[in-house]
């Protein structure tokens, strides 16, 4: 579906945005406005809260204030880009070109200067997400490239080196959840909730068993890794 803002392919219902901003009135206005746009929003008011929320909330994008009370926004930016594969837009009152260049060189995907126009924020979010989705290995529409395999979302199939891989629906869902942006570590509990549902009467060992089978079927020991104390993570191929 082609929309006026060119956001085709992005279903806002599913998109989680983390706002890290210590000025509550600004955080509130972003939360209010972006929720109305259909995004799921979580606000964090310090850098350490932001880091925790990045793990727990699994955002698709982070709006990050430059000046925070504990960590600086740029320090948090470095931590985020080290640990996760999530696009970050810096928010700042500073308008200096040096800051912009510095922020971008530290891994920010875009930069918005306060005071901002909320329509601009909305458009920049969608643009960054779209660019990020493409860069994240979308081989085409409804396809996700993962190492030597391709996930075909429409058909719910996986083809590896030209051969279809025989996955159960749960194995497929697990792979998709890990391989689709945001590509980050997920806890077993989170994967269990997401794939088996909150009312599933089983334990997190179910996830371990499925991961083992998935690794075996896809020879994916290297790209589905166990993150100690966290759970599992898909590691994209170095490009
Ligand atoms: Ca601030």
């Amino acid at each position: 579906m082609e929309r006026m803002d060119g956001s085709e392919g992005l279903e806002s219902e599913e998109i989680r945005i983390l706002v890290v901003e210590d000025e509550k009135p600004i955080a509130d206005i972003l939360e209010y406005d972006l929720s109305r746009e259909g995004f799921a929003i979580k606000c964090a008011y310090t850098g350490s809260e932001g880091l925790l929320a990045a793990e727990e909330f699994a955002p698709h994008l982070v709006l990050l204030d430059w000046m925070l009370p504990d960590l600086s926004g740029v320090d948090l930016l470095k931590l985020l880009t080290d640990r996760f594969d999530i696009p970050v837009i810096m928010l700042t009152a500073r308008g200096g070109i040096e800051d912009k260049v510095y922020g971008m060189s530290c891994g920010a995907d875009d930069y918005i200067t306060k005071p901002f126009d909320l329509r601009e924020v909305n458009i920049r979010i969608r643009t960054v997400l779209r660019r990020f989705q493409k860069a994240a290995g979308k081989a085409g529409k409804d396809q996700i490239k993962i190492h030597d395999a391709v996930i075909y979302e429409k058909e719910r199939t996986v083809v590896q080196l030209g051969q279809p891989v025989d996955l159960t629906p749960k194995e497929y869902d697990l792979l998709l959840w890990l391989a689709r942006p945001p590509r980050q570590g997920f806890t077993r509990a989170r994967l269990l909730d997401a794939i088996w549902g909150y009312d599933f009467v089983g334990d997190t060992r179910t996830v371990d068993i499925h991961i083992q089978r998935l690794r075996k079927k896809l020879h994916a020991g290297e790209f589905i890794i166990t993150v100690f104390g966290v759970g599992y993570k898909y590691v994209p191929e170095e490009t």
Side-chain angles (χ1 to χ4, degrees), residues 20-23 26 65-69 91 114:
V20 188
E21 165 65 86
D22 61 315
E23 285 158 85
I26 295 178
D65 183 34
W66 187 286
M67 302 283 279
L68 293 167
L91 287 176
K114 295 184 216 171

Side-chain angles (χ1 to χ4, degrees), residues 207-219:
V207 177
D208 298 331
I209 292 163
H210 281 76
I211 288 276
Q212 279 167 30
R213 290 191 194 137
L214 198 53
R215 279 179 177 155
K216 204 167 169 192
K217 287 184 181 178
L218 278 172
H219 316 287

